[in-house]
Amino acid sequence: MDSPVRQHSLREHNLALVLRRVATNPRPLSRADVAAATGLTRATVSTLVDDLVAGGLLAELEPVPRAGVGRPATGLALSPHGPCGLGLEINVDYLAACVTDLSGTVRHQIVRHVDQRDRPAGDALAAVAELAAEAADVAAAEGLPVAGAALAVPGLVRQNPHGGGHVHVAPNLGWRDVPVPAALGALTLRVENEANLAALGELQAGEQDPDVSPSFIYVSGEVGIGAGIVLDGQLYRGAHGWSGEFGHLTIDANGPRCHCGARGCLEQYAGQDAILRAAGVAGEDAVPAGLERIQRLAQAADPAMLAALGAAGAALGIALAGAVNLLDVDAVVLGGSYAPLAPWLRAAVEEELTTRVITAGWSPAEVRASALGPEATVVGAAGSVVRDVLAHPAAWLATLS
Amino acid sequence: MDSPVRQHSLREHNLALVLRRVATNPRPLSRADVAAATGLTRATVSTLVDDLVAGGLLAELEPVPRAGVGRPATGLALSPHGPCGLGLEINVDYLAACVTDLSGTVRHQIVRHVDQRDRPAGDALAAVAELAAEAADVAAAEGLPVAGAALAVPGLVRQNPHGGGHVHVAPNLGWRDVPVPAALGALTLRVENEANLAALGELQAGEQDPDVSPSFIYVSGEVGIGAGIVLDGQLYRGAHGWSGEFGHLTIDANGPRCHCGARGCLEQYAGQDAILRAAGVAGEDAVPAGLERIQRLAQAADPAMLAALGAAGAALGIALAGAVNLLDVDAVVLGGSYAPLAPWLRAAVEEELTTRVITAGWSPAEVRASALGPEATVVGAAGSVVRDVLAHPAAWLATLS
């Protein structure tokens, strides 16, 4: 709104418009289809398409013979050899990397199980840079230029506008005041909270499906609990990028002390350690690790675990009801380790939403398990890079000239 | 993003751009200033300005002699005779109307104290239509064309895109399933939740001040409690227009029963009736009415009332801390009857925010009393009409031809 639309930005806008029209259409489109759908002239569309093809963003498919007179039209689709995004993740017990192409298809994925808890932040960053280099090699071998990288961290992140940033605190990694470099080699590196990127992954996974709501809260439960908020198809990051600190919503003002200093935070009722504690199962050093132990006991219908999951679901439902009352979103998505636990959490969550959301009688919020599961974060990270290219193709084309 | 930018919408965009540039500048601007600030050519700016002047949106002020050579430039400002907005409000014990001009200045305001509680909805709508006619007469007498009307209702509203809508429920008016007509005479009538419009009023009041954050939660406490959410300078209405049902955030899952059917809602701790009850003061039929009684006792330092306000502030602070953790807004605004009670609520609210907001150590949310007080709603309603004209001047110009 603040930028004047002159010929230059007119071209930028229309490049994005044409690219997006092709990207969101389930079938290849002819230039004439694009002109009809955008209201632009065929001559304008042709010029824009030529630029997008030359820049490797669109590909012209073989003409398909069709009935009727006239030359068969060439079909336009996103290029399978276009720029890709590199997603990276540092989490409590693993590192991950992922490459997605323009269509959002995962072309490469690595997960390396390494406990990060007693490791200096610099070592984790060095290890993830190695993983990134491997992934970039795979992309190069497949002929995919890498447009940039995004790193997911389970913490409170200040993002710098031109790459890099600062992790204020990532409690479960033991990080405090960790700077993140602005680049990995020649690639710009963005850094962001993991739940934000997972919500973006979830959004991308549902974008082709008209039944999937574009307004939802994605809540991810591990030892900590985070949320990503998607409003009208856009990730809402907050004034400082700190939105979605869902684990610290108050369930009981006089409840158990939380590591944050307050009392009765949701994490103390619905975090993994809290669930294990409520079920009377030993602490965090036991094997197998938290989620797996919870799942095994739940699958064995262990009564203490079923009760603990019901109580966790109720606490989660109370906090989610508050969020739905506040934000009027259509859906809540159980993500991270809540996705595999959804069968045991869902009923309690739904009951609280039904009782506590004032509009539940008119339009109840849907409760669903994440479509991607734990991969949502690293896939969302890679997708966030691709999303930027699709939204600003002129910026990508400018890097080529 | 989805609409193609062709010559037609290019003009629409640039009309809005030029108008906004003049509107947001504290001093009159010359055409050359506008060209420099927007990056548009002087010829383009002149054509657009001519259209905006002809449509009564901009006025050319007398040339001010200036030092140096050259013809003194004409100053451009919003026209004091431009289209105005008509704001209307139906509340528990009053009706109100307000006229604001293009600059947001209130040109006329009426408040009529009438108890709406035992009155059929049709009578209240008829009475507010009378008030609207009076206000429109005043606007006509001042030479201000009325661009449209917006009606604030303390309830859950479904807005129709082209005017009118449906009030699902407005508990404190005793309304259920009340249709709102799409027009008042020749004027389009929009209908919206009161807290949303009050938040918009608050946003408008602060828009000229760079120190006022464009991301805040406005919370309004009467018998019920509502909130309006402003994110990055935009009112966030939610997927159905139902955002900000703040009074039903849970404070204690096992707390007192709320009229909504749930237990322990914020309204049961921080609504006017709850404060009076906690202070041991008689119920709602007593004279003077709720807010005034609370204020008198607080000013007299009545210990029971001070304790009740402290407890209400703590409950409010717990709910606001949840909202700030979720949304990462810079400020919370105490509005409606919380504005005059702010001196007795603020300390408890701030204490909960400091303890419970995870990012309070890096960037604490500011707590402030509403700049407009109870008038925020009707002023925001009128302003919402003007805001539409300023955002879409081409639509206004089209009504004139």
Short mmCIF file of all heavy atoms in Angstrom, two decimals, chain A residues 1-6 10 13 17 20 38-39 168 229 236 239-242 244-245 263 325-328 330 356 363, chain B residues 1-6 10 13 17 20 38-39 229 236 239-242 244-245 263 325-328 330 356 362-363:
data_model
loop_
_atom_site.label_atom_id
_atom_site.label_comp_id
_atom_site.label_asym_id
_atom_site.label_seq_id
_atom_site.Cartn_x
_atom_site.Cartn_y
_atom_site.Cartn_z
N MET A 1 0.83 -1.20 0.00
CA MET A 1 0.00 0.00 0.00
C MET A 1 0.87 1.25 0.00
O MET A 1 0.55 2.25 -0.59
CB MET A 1 -0.90 -0.04 1.25
CG MET A 1 -1.83 1.16 1.40
SD MET A 1 -3.10 1.28 0.13
CE MET A 1 -3.62 2.97 0.38
N ASP A 2 2.02 1.16 0.67
CA ASP A 2 2.85 2.35 0.76
C ASP A 2 3.76 2.54 -0.45
O ASP A 2 4.29 3.62 -0.67
CB ASP A 2 3.71 2.31 2.02
CG ASP A 2 3.08 3.17 3.08
OD1 ASP A 2 2.86 4.37 2.83
OD2 ASP A 2 2.81 2.65 4.14
N SER A 3 3.92 1.49 -1.23
CA SER A 3 4.85 1.64 -2.35
C SER A 3 4.07 2.08 -3.59
O SER A 3 2.99 1.58 -3.85
CB SER A 3 5.54 0.31 -2.62
OG SER A 3 4.57 -0.64 -3.01
N PRO A 4 4.60 3.02 -4.32
CA PRO A 4 3.90 3.44 -5.53
C PRO A 4 3.96 2.30 -6.54
O PRO A 4 4.92 1.55 -6.60
CB PRO A 4 4.73 4.62 -6.01
CG PRO A 4 6.09 4.36 -5.50
CD PRO A 4 5.92 3.63 -4.20
N VAL A 5 2.91 2.15 -7.30
CA VAL A 5 2.95 1.17 -8.38
C VAL A 5 3.36 1.93 -9.63
O VAL A 5 2.58 2.68 -10.20
CB VAL A 5 1.59 0.50 -8.57
CG1 VAL A 5 1.62 -0.41 -9.78
CG2 VAL A 5 1.22 -0.29 -7.35
N ARG A 6 4.59 1.77 -10.02
CA ARG A 6 5.04 2.33 -11.28
C ARG A 6 5.32 1.16 -12.21
O ARG A 6 5.07 0.01 -11.87
CB ARG A 6 6.29 3.18 -11.06
CG ARG A 6 5.90 4.55 -10.47
CD ARG A 6 7.11 5.24 -9.98
NE ARG A 6 7.76 4.46 -8.94
CZ ARG A 6 8.98 4.64 -8.51
NH1 ARG A 6 9.71 5.58 -9.04
NH2 ARG A 6 9.48 3.91 -7.54
N LEU A 10 5.10 -2.65 -11.12
CA LEU A 10 4.00 -3.26 -11.84
C LEU A 10 4.46 -4.60 -12.41
O LEU A 10 3.79 -5.62 -12.28
CB LEU A 10 3.57 -2.31 -12.97
CG LEU A 10 2.40 -2.72 -13.84
CD1 LEU A 10 1.14 -2.85 -13.01
CD2 LEU A 10 2.18 -1.68 -14.94
N HIS A 13 4.92 -7.06 -9.55
CA HIS A 13 3.62 -7.55 -9.09
C HIS A 13 3.07 -8.58 -10.06
O HIS A 13 2.59 -9.64 -9.66
CB HIS A 13 2.67 -6.36 -8.94
CG HIS A 13 1.31 -6.75 -8.48
ND1 HIS A 13 0.36 -7.28 -9.33
CD2 HIS A 13 0.73 -6.70 -7.27
CE1 HIS A 13 -0.75 -7.54 -8.64
NE2 HIS A 13 -0.55 -7.19 -7.39
N LEU A 17 2.09 -12.49 -9.79
CA LEU A 17 0.70 -12.88 -10.05
C LEU A 17 0.64 -14.08 -11.02
O LEU A 17 -0.06 -15.07 -10.78
CB LEU A 17 -0.03 -11.68 -10.64
CG LEU A 17 -1.50 -11.87 -10.96
CD1 LEU A 17 -2.31 -11.97 -9.68
CD2 LEU A 17 -2.01 -10.71 -11.82
N ARG A 20 2.11 -17.25 -9.43
CA ARG A 20 1.21 -17.80 -8.42
C ARG A 20 0.00 -18.48 -9.07
O ARG A 20 -0.45 -19.52 -8.60
CB ARG A 20 0.74 -16.64 -7.54
CG ARG A 20 0.03 -17.05 -6.31
CD ARG A 20 -0.09 -15.80 -5.44
NE ARG A 20 -1.41 -15.71 -4.88
CZ ARG A 20 -1.65 -15.88 -3.59
NH1 ARG A 20 -0.67 -16.16 -2.76
NH2 ARG A 20 -2.87 -15.77 -3.13
N THR A 38 -6.04 -13.93 -15.12
CA THR A 38 -5.47 -12.76 -14.45
C THR A 38 -6.07 -11.46 -14.96
O THR A 38 -5.93 -10.43 -14.31
CB THR A 38 -3.95 -12.68 -14.67
OG1 THR A 38 -3.71 -12.63 -16.08
CG2 THR A 38 -3.23 -13.87 -14.05
N GLY A 39 -6.69 -11.51 -16.16
CA GLY A 39 -7.19 -10.28 -16.75
C GLY A 39 -6.09 -9.48 -17.44
O GLY A 39 -6.34 -8.38 -17.93
N HIS A 168 17.67 -15.76 21.80
CA HIS A 168 17.69 -15.26 23.18
C HIS A 168 17.82 -16.41 24.15
O HIS A 168 18.65 -16.41 25.04
CB HIS A 168 16.41 -14.48 23.48
CG HIS A 168 16.31 -13.19 22.74
ND1 HIS A 168 17.16 -12.14 22.97
CD2 HIS A 168 15.47 -12.79 21.77
CE1 HIS A 168 16.84 -11.14 22.17
NE2 HIS A 168 15.82 -11.51 21.42
N ILE A 229 0.92 -19.61 14.54
CA ILE A 229 -0.42 -19.07 14.29
C ILE A 229 -0.52 -18.69 12.82
O ILE A 229 0.26 -17.88 12.33
CB ILE A 229 -0.66 -17.82 15.17
CG1 ILE A 229 -0.53 -18.21 16.65
CG2 ILE A 229 -2.02 -17.21 14.89
CD1 ILE A 229 -0.48 -17.00 17.57
N TYR A 236 1.52 -15.66 11.26
CA TYR A 236 1.58 -14.44 12.05
C TYR A 236 2.74 -14.57 13.04
O TYR A 236 2.71 -15.41 13.92
CB TYR A 236 0.25 -14.22 12.81
CG TYR A 236 0.38 -13.08 13.78
CD1 TYR A 236 0.46 -11.77 13.31
CD2 TYR A 236 0.52 -13.31 15.14
CE1 TYR A 236 0.66 -10.72 14.18
CE2 TYR A 236 0.70 -12.26 16.03
CZ TYR A 236 0.78 -10.97 15.54
OH TYR A 236 0.99 -9.93 16.41
N ALA A 239 4.97 -8.98 16.91
CA ALA A 239 5.68 -7.71 16.77
C ALA A 239 7.20 -7.90 16.75
O ALA A 239 7.91 -7.12 16.13
CB ALA A 239 5.28 -6.76 17.90
N HIS A 240 7.70 -8.95 17.44
CA HIS A 240 9.15 -9.21 17.47
C HIS A 240 9.50 -10.60 16.94
O HIS A 240 10.64 -11.05 17.10
CB HIS A 240 9.69 -9.10 18.89
CG HIS A 240 9.23 -7.90 19.64
ND1 HIS A 240 8.05 -7.86 20.33
CD2 HIS A 240 9.80 -6.68 19.79
CE1 HIS A 240 7.90 -6.67 20.88
NE2 HIS A 240 8.94 -5.93 20.57
N GLY A 241 8.52 -11.31 16.40
CA GLY A 241 8.76 -12.69 15.99
C GLY A 241 8.59 -13.68 17.13
O GLY A 241 9.01 -14.83 17.03
N TRP A 242 7.95 -13.26 18.22
CA TRP A 242 7.87 -14.08 19.43
C TRP A 242 6.46 -14.63 19.69
O TRP A 242 6.15 -15.02 20.82
CB TRP A 242 8.29 -13.25 20.64
CG TRP A 242 9.69 -12.77 20.61
CD1 TRP A 242 10.73 -13.31 19.90
CD2 TRP A 242 10.25 -11.64 21.32
NE1 TRP A 242 11.88 -12.58 20.13
CE2 TRP A 242 11.61 -11.56 20.99
CE3 TRP A 242 9.72 -10.71 22.21
CZ2 TRP A 242 12.46 -10.58 21.51
CZ3 TRP A 242 10.56 -9.73 22.73
CH2 TRP A 242 11.91 -9.66 22.39
N GLY A 244 3.19 -17.13 19.75
CA GLY A 244 3.03 -18.57 19.92
C GLY A 244 3.73 -19.18 21.12
O GLY A 244 4.01 -20.37 21.13
N GLU A 245 4.02 -18.38 22.15
CA GLU A 245 4.61 -18.96 23.37
C GLU A 245 3.50 -19.62 24.18
O GLU A 245 3.15 -19.23 25.30
CB GLU A 245 5.34 -17.87 24.17
CG GLU A 245 6.67 -17.49 23.57
CD GLU A 245 7.68 -18.65 23.60
OE1 GLU A 245 7.53 -19.55 24.43
OE2 GLU A 245 8.60 -18.64 22.75
N ARG A 263 3.81 -19.72 37.75
CA ARG A 263 3.14 -20.93 38.27
C ARG A 263 2.03 -21.35 37.32
O ARG A 263 1.33 -20.53 36.75
CB ARG A 263 2.50 -20.65 39.63
CG ARG A 263 3.50 -20.58 40.76
CD ARG A 263 2.79 -20.56 42.13
NE ARG A 263 3.78 -20.66 43.19
CZ ARG A 263 4.31 -21.83 43.60
NH1 ARG A 263 3.94 -22.98 43.07
NH2 ARG A 263 5.22 -21.84 44.56
N ASN A 325 -11.18 -18.52 21.37
CA ASN A 325 -12.01 -17.38 21.76
C ASN A 325 -11.36 -16.06 21.35
O ASN A 325 -12.03 -15.12 20.93
CB ASN A 325 -12.24 -17.38 23.28
CG ASN A 325 -13.45 -18.21 23.69
OD1 ASN A 325 -14.47 -18.22 23.00
ND2 ASN A 325 -13.33 -18.91 24.81
N LEU A 326 -10.06 -16.00 21.48
CA LEU A 326 -9.34 -14.77 21.17
C LEU A 326 -9.22 -14.56 19.67
O LEU A 326 -9.41 -13.45 19.17
CB LEU A 326 -7.94 -14.87 21.80
CG LEU A 326 -7.17 -13.59 22.00
CD1 LEU A 326 -7.92 -12.63 22.89
CD2 LEU A 326 -5.80 -13.90 22.60
N LEU A 327 -8.90 -15.61 18.92
CA LEU A 327 -8.50 -15.45 17.52
C LEU A 327 -9.54 -15.88 16.50
O LEU A 327 -9.38 -15.58 15.31
CB LEU A 327 -7.19 -16.22 17.26
CG LEU A 327 -5.98 -15.67 17.99
CD1 LEU A 327 -4.77 -16.55 17.73
CD2 LEU A 327 -5.69 -14.24 17.51
N ASP A 328 -10.57 -16.61 16.93
CA ASP A 328 -11.59 -17.04 15.97
C ASP A 328 -10.94 -17.71 14.76
O ASP A 328 -11.10 -17.26 13.63
CB ASP A 328 -12.47 -15.84 15.55
CG ASP A 328 -13.52 -16.20 14.50
OD1 ASP A 328 -13.92 -17.36 14.43
OD2 ASP A 328 -13.93 -15.28 13.76
N ASP A 330 -10.42 -21.40 12.56
CA ASP A 330 -11.31 -22.51 12.21
C ASP A 330 -10.82 -23.85 12.72
O ASP A 330 -11.59 -24.81 12.75
CB ASP A 330 -11.39 -22.65 10.68
CG ASP A 330 -12.13 -21.51 10.05
OD1 ASP A 330 -13.19 -21.15 10.57
OD2 ASP A 330 -11.65 -20.97 9.04
N ARG A 356 -16.08 -24.43 26.24
CA ARG A 356 -15.51 -23.13 26.58
C ARG A 356 -15.46 -22.12 25.43
O ARG A 356 -15.26 -20.93 25.69
CB ARG A 356 -14.08 -23.32 27.13
CG ARG A 356 -14.07 -24.11 28.42
CD ARG A 356 -12.71 -24.22 29.06
NE ARG A 356 -12.79 -25.08 30.23
CZ ARG A 356 -13.21 -24.68 31.44
NH1 ARG A 356 -13.54 -23.42 31.63
NH2 ARG A 356 -13.27 -25.53 32.43
N SER A 363 -20.07 -22.44 14.87
CA SER A 363 -19.05 -22.92 13.94
C SER A 363 -17.90 -23.50 14.75
O SER A 363 -16.93 -22.80 15.03
CB SER A 363 -18.58 -21.76 13.06
OG SER A 363 -17.65 -22.23 12.12
N MET B 1 -2.86 -9.11 -3.97
CA MET B 1 -1.94 -10.04 -4.65
C MET B 1 -2.66 -10.82 -5.75
O MET B 1 -2.10 -11.13 -6.77
CB MET B 1 -1.35 -10.99 -3.59
CG MET B 1 -0.38 -12.03 -4.11
SD MET B 1 1.18 -11.32 -4.70
CE MET B 1 1.81 -12.75 -5.60
N ASP B 2 -3.93 -11.12 -5.51
CA ASP B 2 -4.63 -11.90 -6.51
C ASP B 2 -5.19 -11.08 -7.67
O ASP B 2 -5.52 -11.63 -8.71
CB ASP B 2 -5.76 -12.68 -5.85
CG ASP B 2 -5.34 -14.12 -5.62
OD1 ASP B 2 -4.93 -14.78 -6.59
OD2 ASP B 2 -5.40 -14.55 -4.49
N SER B 3 -5.28 -9.79 -7.47
CA SER B 3 -5.85 -8.99 -8.54
C SER B 3 -4.75 -8.48 -9.45
O SER B 3 -3.71 -8.06 -9.00
CB SER B 3 -6.61 -7.81 -7.94
OG SER B 3 -5.70 -6.97 -7.29
N PRO B 4 -5.00 -8.57 -10.75
CA PRO B 4 -3.96 -8.07 -11.66
C PRO B 4 -3.89 -6.55 -11.54
O PRO B 4 -4.89 -5.89 -11.29
CB PRO B 4 -4.50 -8.45 -13.04
CG PRO B 4 -5.99 -8.49 -12.87
CD PRO B 4 -6.24 -8.92 -11.44
N VAL B 5 -2.72 -6.01 -11.68
CA VAL B 5 -2.59 -4.56 -11.69
C VAL B 5 -2.59 -4.12 -13.15
O VAL B 5 -1.62 -4.31 -13.86
CB VAL B 5 -1.30 -4.11 -10.99
CG1 VAL B 5 -1.14 -2.60 -11.13
CG2 VAL B 5 -1.34 -4.48 -9.52
N ARG B 6 -3.70 -3.63 -13.60
CA ARG B 6 -3.75 -3.05 -14.94
C ARG B 6 -3.90 -1.54 -14.77
O ARG B 6 -3.85 -1.03 -13.66
CB ARG B 6 -4.93 -3.65 -15.70
CG ARG B 6 -4.56 -5.05 -16.22
CD ARG B 6 -5.79 -5.76 -16.68
NE ARG B 6 -6.74 -5.91 -15.58
CZ ARG B 6 -8.02 -6.19 -15.75
NH1 ARG B 6 -8.52 -6.32 -16.95
NH2 ARG B 6 -8.82 -6.35 -14.71
N LEU B 10 -4.32 0.33 -11.30
CA LEU B 10 -3.15 1.15 -11.06
C LEU B 10 -3.59 2.54 -10.59
O LEU B 10 -3.10 3.08 -9.60
CB LEU B 10 -2.35 1.25 -12.37
CG LEU B 10 -1.05 2.03 -12.35
CD1 LEU B 10 -0.07 1.40 -11.39
CD2 LEU B 10 -0.44 2.06 -13.75
N HIS B 13 -5.02 2.24 -7.08
CA HIS B 13 -3.93 2.11 -6.10
C HIS B 13 -3.26 3.45 -5.87
O HIS B 13 -3.00 3.86 -4.74
CB HIS B 13 -2.93 1.09 -6.63
CG HIS B 13 -1.77 0.87 -5.71
ND1 HIS B 13 -0.70 1.74 -5.63
CD2 HIS B 13 -1.51 -0.10 -4.80
CE1 HIS B 13 0.16 1.30 -4.73
NE2 HIS B 13 -0.31 0.20 -4.21
N LEU B 17 -2.80 5.86 -2.66
CA LEU B 17 -1.43 6.16 -2.21
C LEU B 17 -1.26 7.66 -1.97
O LEU B 17 -0.73 8.10 -0.94
CB LEU B 17 -0.45 5.67 -3.28
CG LEU B 17 1.02 5.87 -2.98
CD1 LEU B 17 1.47 4.93 -1.88
CD2 LEU B 17 1.84 5.64 -4.25
N ARG B 20 -3.41 8.87 0.99
CA ARG B 20 -2.85 8.44 2.25
C ARG B 20 -1.60 9.25 2.63
O ARG B 20 -1.39 9.57 3.78
CB ARG B 20 -2.48 6.97 2.11
CG ARG B 20 -2.17 6.28 3.40
CD ARG B 20 -2.14 4.79 3.09
NE ARG B 20 -1.00 4.18 3.71
CZ ARG B 20 -1.12 3.34 4.74
NH1 ARG B 20 -2.29 3.05 5.24
NH2 ARG B 20 -0.05 2.79 5.25
N THR B 38 6.21 9.74 -3.10
CA THR B 38 5.64 8.51 -3.63
C THR B 38 6.47 7.92 -4.75
O THR B 38 6.29 6.75 -5.09
CB THR B 38 4.22 8.77 -4.20
OG1 THR B 38 4.34 9.77 -5.22
CG2 THR B 38 3.26 9.23 -3.13
N GLY B 39 7.33 8.73 -5.33
CA GLY B 39 8.09 8.24 -6.48
C GLY B 39 7.30 8.30 -7.78
O GLY B 39 7.77 7.87 -8.81
N ILE B 229 -8.45 -6.76 18.66
CA ILE B 229 -7.05 -7.10 18.43
C ILE B 229 -6.54 -6.33 17.23
O ILE B 229 -7.09 -6.47 16.13
CB ILE B 229 -6.90 -8.61 18.19
CG1 ILE B 229 -7.45 -9.40 19.39
CG2 ILE B 229 -5.46 -8.99 17.91
CD1 ILE B 229 -7.59 -10.88 19.12
N TYR B 236 -7.78 -7.09 13.54
CA TYR B 236 -7.90 -8.50 13.19
C TYR B 236 -9.28 -8.98 13.64
O TYR B 236 -9.57 -9.03 14.83
CB TYR B 236 -6.79 -9.33 13.84
CG TYR B 236 -7.05 -10.80 13.63
CD1 TYR B 236 -6.88 -11.37 12.37
CD2 TYR B 236 -7.51 -11.61 14.66
CE1 TYR B 236 -7.18 -12.70 12.14
CE2 TYR B 236 -7.80 -12.94 14.44
CZ TYR B 236 -7.63 -13.48 13.18
OH TYR B 236 -7.94 -14.78 12.96
N ALA B 239 -11.79 -15.38 11.62
CA ALA B 239 -12.30 -16.09 10.44
C ALA B 239 -13.77 -15.77 10.18
O ALA B 239 -14.23 -15.79 9.05
CB ALA B 239 -12.10 -17.60 10.60
N HIS B 240 -14.55 -15.49 11.26
CA HIS B 240 -15.97 -15.17 11.09
C HIS B 240 -16.32 -13.79 11.65
O HIS B 240 -17.50 -13.47 11.79
CB HIS B 240 -16.84 -16.20 11.81
CG HIS B 240 -16.46 -17.61 11.56
ND1 HIS B 240 -15.48 -18.25 12.28
CD2 HIS B 240 -16.91 -18.51 10.66
CE1 HIS B 240 -15.35 -19.49 11.83
NE2 HIS B 240 -16.20 -19.67 10.86
N GLY B 241 -15.34 -13.01 12.06
CA GLY B 241 -15.62 -11.73 12.72
C GLY B 241 -15.85 -11.89 14.20
O GLY B 241 -16.36 -10.98 14.86
N TRP B 242 -15.47 -13.03 14.77
CA TRP B 242 -15.77 -13.33 16.17
C TRP B 242 -14.54 -13.26 17.07
O TRP B 242 -14.57 -13.81 18.19
CB TRP B 242 -16.38 -14.73 16.28
CG TRP B 242 -17.68 -14.88 15.56
CD1 TRP B 242 -18.57 -13.90 15.23
CD2 TRP B 242 -18.26 -16.11 15.08
NE1 TRP B 242 -19.66 -14.44 14.59
CE2 TRP B 242 -19.50 -15.80 14.48
CE3 TRP B 242 -17.86 -17.45 15.12
CZ2 TRP B 242 -20.33 -16.77 13.91
CZ3 TRP B 242 -18.68 -18.42 14.55
CH2 TRP B 242 -19.90 -18.08 13.96
N GLY B 244 -11.69 -11.94 19.73
CA GLY B 244 -11.72 -11.07 20.92
C GLY B 244 -12.76 -11.44 21.95
O GLY B 244 -13.15 -10.58 22.75
N GLU B 245 -13.21 -12.70 21.98
CA GLU B 245 -14.15 -13.11 23.04
C GLU B 245 -13.35 -13.33 24.33
O GLU B 245 -13.29 -14.43 24.89
CB GLU B 245 -14.93 -14.35 22.62
CG GLU B 245 -16.01 -14.04 21.62
CD GLU B 245 -17.12 -13.15 22.20
OE1 GLU B 245 -17.32 -13.15 23.43
OE2 GLU B 245 -17.76 -12.43 21.42
N ARG B 263 -17.09 -22.89 33.23
CA ARG B 263 -16.70 -22.50 34.59
C ARG B 263 -15.44 -21.65 34.55
O ARG B 263 -14.55 -21.88 33.76
CB ARG B 263 -16.40 -23.74 35.44
CG ARG B 263 -17.63 -24.50 35.88
CD ARG B 263 -17.28 -25.56 36.93
NE ARG B 263 -18.49 -26.15 37.47
CZ ARG B 263 -19.26 -25.57 38.41
NH1 ARG B 263 -18.92 -24.43 38.96
NH2 ARG B 263 -20.37 -26.16 38.82
N ASN B 325 1.59 -13.68 25.38
CA ASN B 325 2.42 -14.85 25.04
C ASN B 325 2.04 -15.39 23.66
O ASN B 325 2.89 -15.81 22.89
CB ASN B 325 2.25 -15.95 26.09
CG ASN B 325 3.22 -15.80 27.26
OD1 ASN B 325 4.37 -15.40 27.07
ND2 ASN B 325 2.76 -16.12 28.45
N LEU B 326 0.76 -15.39 23.38
CA LEU B 326 0.28 -15.95 22.13
C LEU B 326 0.57 -15.02 20.95
O LEU B 326 1.00 -15.46 19.89
CB LEU B 326 -1.23 -16.17 22.25
CG LEU B 326 -1.90 -17.12 21.28
CD1 LEU B 326 -1.29 -18.52 21.38
CD2 LEU B 326 -3.40 -17.20 21.56
N LEU B 327 0.34 -13.71 21.14
CA LEU B 327 0.31 -12.79 20.00
C LEU B 327 1.52 -11.87 19.89
O LEU B 327 1.70 -11.23 18.86
CB LEU B 327 -0.96 -11.93 20.06
CG LEU B 327 -2.25 -12.69 19.82
CD1 LEU B 327 -3.44 -11.76 19.99
CD2 LEU B 327 -2.25 -13.30 18.43
N ASP B 328 2.33 -11.78 20.94
CA ASP B 328 3.50 -10.90 20.89
C ASP B 328 3.11 -9.50 20.42
O ASP B 328 3.60 -9.01 19.39
CB ASP B 328 4.59 -11.53 19.99
CG ASP B 328 5.82 -10.65 19.81
OD1 ASP B 328 6.11 -9.84 20.70
OD2 ASP B 328 6.50 -10.80 18.77
N ASP B 330 2.76 -5.33 21.47
CA ASP B 330 3.58 -4.40 22.25
C ASP B 330 2.85 -3.78 23.42
O ASP B 330 3.46 -3.21 24.31
CB ASP B 330 4.02 -3.23 21.36
CG ASP B 330 5.02 -3.66 20.32
OD1 ASP B 330 5.96 -4.38 20.68
OD2 ASP B 330 4.85 -3.27 19.16
N ARG B 356 4.42 -13.57 34.00
CA ARG B 356 3.93 -14.67 33.15
C ARG B 356 4.28 -14.55 31.68
O ARG B 356 4.16 -15.54 30.95
CB ARG B 356 2.40 -14.79 33.31
CG ARG B 356 1.99 -15.15 34.71
CD ARG B 356 0.51 -15.36 34.87
NE ARG B 356 0.20 -15.61 36.28
CZ ARG B 356 0.32 -16.79 36.88
NH1 ARG B 356 0.73 -17.84 36.19
NH2 ARG B 356 0.05 -16.93 38.16
N TRP B 362 12.79 -9.03 27.78
CA TRP B 362 13.40 -8.41 26.59
C TRP B 362 12.64 -7.19 26.12
O TRP B 362 13.24 -6.21 25.72
CB TRP B 362 13.52 -9.44 25.46
CG TRP B 362 14.54 -10.48 25.75
CD1 TRP B 362 15.90 -10.33 25.64
CD2 TRP B 362 14.32 -11.79 26.24
NE1 TRP B 362 16.52 -11.49 26.03
CE2 TRP B 362 15.59 -12.41 26.39
CE3 TRP B 362 13.19 -12.54 26.57
CZ2 TRP B 362 15.74 -13.71 26.85
CZ3 TRP B 362 13.33 -13.84 27.02
CH2 TRP B 362 14.60 -14.41 27.16
N SER B 363 11.34 -7.30 26.14
CA SER B 363 10.54 -6.19 25.61
C SER B 363 9.16 -6.24 26.27
O SER B 363 8.24 -6.83 25.72
CB SER B 363 10.43 -6.33 24.09
OG SER B 363 9.72 -5.25 23.56
#
